[in-house]
Amino acid sequence: MFLTKRLLVRIFLVVLVFSSFLVVRAIYVPTSRETKLPPDEVIYTIEDPTELELLYETDNFKYYFRESRDTIAIHDKRNGYTWTTGTDLEFSKDIDDECDDMVDLREDEDPENVVTDQMLLDACRDKEVKLNTTYTGFANSLISVEYYDTSKSIKRLSSAGYSSVLSDLYEVNGDDSHYRLDIFFIVIDVEISVHIYFDNDGIRYEIRDEEVTGDGIDALAAIIISPFLGASGGAYEEFSIEEMDYLDDETYKYKVPGYSLVPDGSGSLIRFNDNNVKLNPYEGTIYGVDPSRDVSYHIEAEPYVPFKTASMPVFGMAHGNLQNAFVAFATSGEEYLQIISMPEDNLTYYNFTYPRFEYNKQYFQVYNKIGWGYLTTYEERNHFDVDMRYNFLQGDGTSSPSADYVGMAQSYRDYLIDEEILHELDSIYTDIPIRLDMFMSDVEKAITGYNNQITTTHSGVRNILNSVIDLGITNVNSGLLGWNDGGVTLGDPRDTDFSRKIGKESEFEDLINDFNEVGIDISFCNEYYYINEETMGLYKNASQHESTWYNLIETFNYPVSIFYYARPTKSIEWMLDQTNNFNSIGVSSYTISGITNNLTSDKTIDLTRDEAKTVITDGFASLDDSKLINAYEPNMYLWEYTDRYIHTPVYGTQFLIETDTVPFLQLVLYNTMELYGPYSNFSFYTETDVLRMIDYNIYPSFVLTDKPAYLLTDTNSRNFYSTEYALYEDLIDNVYFEVNGALSHVIGSNWINREVVRNGVIVNTYENGIQIIINYTEDVVEYNGLFISPISYTVVGG
């Protein structure tokens, strides 16, 4: 019997090992919602472009210039790689003219002008395809402009264009690290001066507002900086002596393996792929579209999930696998910045990504109540200074930020810390926090007026939190939604108007103070951006479109359908008044939404978008600095004031052009504020979602009610369709302790690397020596001698 048992055990072990061997080799196919394996290594020749003019040299770089094409070459001395700000291509028109002349001479058969095959091939050089004269100039140039012609169509000119452009580069004040490129676009009579600064990290471009001049300045639509820096792809056609013409067949150039990083949601990669279909470009407007300067004052909400906001003015590009990369970010002018990424086979055979700064655009000027109008441009262009920084990265991160999206995040994070926009935390807790928002009320239509539909009272909040404490979860913070009369939709941001049925002021004060004593923070949540006419008059409260009509969005919701956007000055006034009232109740934090992730100008008082940003940041700076700030999806300019980031995005918009999702935002912000994910009770609770929280280093969050969610059916908040605490008590317990089991080991330790070791398997590395291995696959996988179960994680080291 003993022998039989031993034999059975041996057979079981052999089968287990054999099964694991097979499972490890199972195929896992990642989608664009995940991060794939790194690109292949780039093949390149180490070559110092000494034929160009050397402008400046540092320990890391040599900076060269080709005057004929306004092209800067950045030679990385650390590994011999050379970046160029343009493609450095000849114009096909010049090649065609030279080739035609030589072909004519050859066909004349003049004995005094013998044209050899080599002479013919020298004249009829390889010629780029899908790049016309305008686009070749665009691909070569350091600076391009877009402008409106007399028919209000957008046209493009470039600093290295074929004609009608003059440019001159010269050293400034004897400082060979500072140059100025003066460009005169003759066709539109616009002159632009670009200051170029070289240092040991990369290049900085500065375009001062007062140095954008000329009689045609009102026609200027946008300025574009080095659009083809790092571009991958291209194709050319070859001349055939037998055919005495260029062949129809296209020869594709070596495509550099790599990707562009764009700031869509948490961060998205756009790989340099061969696309079988024509894909639309990525166009990300930093901080979202400005409603006051959109095409129309009247917007209709789309019946799909809203696009993610580009909340930070940064993008990047990687060539190869941990070999070469750059990260680019705006430090001035980002309020008017777009990030554009073009896929191959959309106009050209190149993949390229670039910043576009907008100076003017068209909008629809309505002149009567019927809605008749016409398209026109702003009477006054946008005024701002451009400051754009490019840091060049190389290697695996041993001595400097790595040449991938992780290194890009670290480089950008270093800048934000140096500028004191971010500050590393000194965390003192041993268990991770959880966010439990409480949905208290919203309004439904009554026979006359509206009724509060209450789903949670002050005592309901108390009961829920006490139950959570009984689960053993004590590191909790909570925001109260719809705490005031009128609820979420009609609660007046100008007042602190409590309702007896939800909770009197004294009852809320007792609630907050009681839980403060056990370390649980309760705050009032309010929205200071969207307003409606049921709550207040629009005069002096609503922001105005460039057309002088009030901005509005029609949501097709019920019972309140039409919303307007508050003036930034009013939003801040209401926020400061309300939070001052909250102070007297004993709150430890403020929960703020709406103005945290929206930025609008206001025609009423001629408040520009950058001035609106200053109004908002000054307002946040005026808040009581002893209180924590819980901000919903805050834009970068509010990170300095944010202690808890609520609703941290975990995906991008998932445009077809986007191939991967990465936690770029989380890598930038980790250990500078607490990051909370989407509400887990709204389709973010599966085992894979919990692993994503661990992978992305974000904490769980739920929105809860004491009563069933169906009570909200006839309110604007019907999308809160499943919130009853009794239904989610077990899920809260499971999700919290699953995530805490991983992330409690790395509280307060910097996240220094994220590696995809095989598709579906991620290794996150932290400064304290901890590694967390996440296995998204349905198979057992092996890593460094460890076996990780399907759809699970393992914590090692420390």
Side-chain angles (χ1 to χ4, degrees), residues 186-243:
I186 299 170
V187 173
I188 56 173
D189 192 11
V190 168
E191 186 170 355
I192 298 172
S193 294
V194 183
H195 293 262
I196 306 168
Y197 302 87
F198 303 116
D199 59 38
N200 205 40
D201 294 316
I203 300 178
R204 183 169 68 88
Y205 300 104
E206 180 188 23
I207 303 174
R208 300 169 186 172
D209 184 63
E210 66 272 15
E211 294 178 348
V212 180
T213 60
D215 291 340
I217 198 65
D218 291 338
L220 179 66
I223 293 178
I224 294 166
I225 299 176
S226 59
F228 271 65
L229 173 64
S232 175
Y236 60 91
E237 54 187 5
E238 298 175 297
F239 187 82
S240 168
I241 292 178
E242 289 77 15
E243 300 291 335

Side-chain angles (χ1 to χ4, degrees), residues 588-603:
S588 299
S589 71
Y590 313 124
T591 296
I592 302 168
S593 68
I595 55 171
T596 52
N597 61 340
N598 292 281
L599 184 61
T600 180
S601 55
D602 181 16
K603 177 68 173 177

Side-chain angles (χ1 to χ4, degrees), residues 159-194:
S159 59
Y162 192 76
S163 61
S164 303
V165 178
L166 301 174
S167 64
D168 182 34
L169 181 78
Y170 58 91
E171 191 177 295
V172 177
N173 297 328
D175 179 0
D176 60 353
S177 69
H178 178 194
Y179 286 79
R180 173 170 153 167
L181 179 66
D182 290 336
I183 312 162
F184 180 44
F185 297 97
I186 299 170
V187 173
I188 56 173
D189 192 11
V190 168
E191 186 170 355
I192 298 172
S193 294
V194 183

Side-chain angles (χ1 to χ4, degrees), residues 545-556:
H545 187 263
E546 187 71 17
S547 64
T548 71
W549 293 71
Y550 289 124
N551 299 301
L552 68 89
I553 180 168
E554 192 163 357
T555 65
F556 304 104

Side-chain angles (χ1 to χ4, degrees), residues 745 768-773 786 794-798:
H745 296 278
N768 64 355
I770 291 286
Q771 283 191 323
I772 301 179
I773 306 158
L786 297 172
T794 296
V795 179
V796 298

Side-chain angles (χ1 to χ4, degrees), residues 534-763:
E534 302 295 329
T535 304
M536 67 181 70
L538 302 181
Y539 178 65
K540 291 188 177 181
N541 290 317
S543 63
Q544 198 177 72
H545 187 263
E546 187 71 17
S547 64
T548 71
W549 293 71
Y550 289 124
N551 299 301
L552 68 89
I553 180 168
E554 192 163 357
T555 65
F556 304 104
N557 210 333
Y558 180 83
V560 181
S561 175
I562 295 177
F563 290 84
Y564 299 83
Y565 308 107
R567 294 183 183 181
T569 50
K570 285 295 181 180
S571 295
I572 293 302
E573 177 186 320
W574 302 334
M575 180 189 76
L576 293 177
D577 286 346
Q578 266 202 343
T579 53
N580 187 54
N581 291 333
F582 295 154
N583 290 341
S584 63
I585 303 174
V587 298
S588 299
S589 71
Y590 313 124
T591 296
I592 302 168
S593 68
I595 55 171
T596 52
N597 61 340
N598 292 281
L599 184 61
T600 180
S601 55
D602 181 16
K603 177 68 173 177
T604 314
I605 56 175
D606 290 326
L607 186 76
T608 64
R609 202 175 196 213
D610 55 306
E611 290 170 342
K613 187 186 80 171
T614 300
V615 167
I616 292 170
T617 53
D618 286 350
F620 273 73
S622 299
L623 291 170
D624 185 339
D625 59 10
S626 69
K627 313 295 183 184
L628 301 178
I629 295 178
N630 315 292
Y632 279 79
E633 301 179 8
N635 287 328
M636 184 276 291
Y637 50 85
L638 289 179
W639 292 351
E640 179 178 354
Y641 310 101
T642 301
D643 298 287
R644 299 183 181 124
Y645 190 124
I646 312 299
H647 286 186
T648 309
V650 292
Y651 300 110
T653 304
Q654 297 175 66
F655 295 114
L656 289 178
I657 189 178
E658 296 173 344
T659 57
D660 305 51
T661 301
V662 295
F664 180 84
L665 174 69
Q666 288 83 349
L667 283 159
V668 172
L669 295 181
Y670 181 72
N671 202 34
T672 66
M673 61 186 71
E674 295 173 8
L675 306 176
Y676 295 88
Y679 291 139
S680 285
N681 44 325
F682 294 140
S683 302
F684 194 64
Y685 56 80
T686 67
E687 291 177 317
T688 300
D689 294 327
V690 173
L691 289 182
R692 186 172 289 260
M693 291 184 213
I694 295 168
D695 181 9
Y696 280 34
N697 286 271
I698 58 176
Y699 302 138
S701 72
F702 290 80
V703 59
L704 304 169
T705 56
D706 187 33
K707 297 178 181 178
Y710 70 76
L711 295 172
L712 299 172
T713 300
D714 293 326
T715 74
N716 275 58
S717 299
R718 64 181 59 84
N719 56 314
F720 288 81
Y721 52 83
S722 183
T723 56
E724 187 179 2
Y725 173 71
L727 301 176
Y728 286 101
E729 181 177 356
D730 289 343
L731 185 64
I732 292 169
D733 186 29
N734 293 335
V735 169
Y736 177 80
F737 285 105
E738 181 84 3
V739 177
N740 189 58
L743 297 187
S744 62
H745 296 278
V746 295
I747 292 172
S749 180
N750 286 329
W751 183 10
I752 60 175
N753 197 23
R754 180 177 188 263
E755 182 183 3
V756 181
V757 294
R758 65 183 66 179
N759 282 326
V761 181
I762 310 295
V763 178

Side-chain angles (χ1 to χ4, degrees), residues 52 155 240 259 314 383 422 425 442 466 522 531 599 651 730 792:
L52 306 182
K155 298 292 179 63
S240 168
Y259 54 77
V314 59
H383 288 275
L422 293 180
L425 294 176
D442 204 357
N466 281 330
I522 300 175
I531 60 175
L599 184 61
Y651 300 110
D730 289 343
S792 69

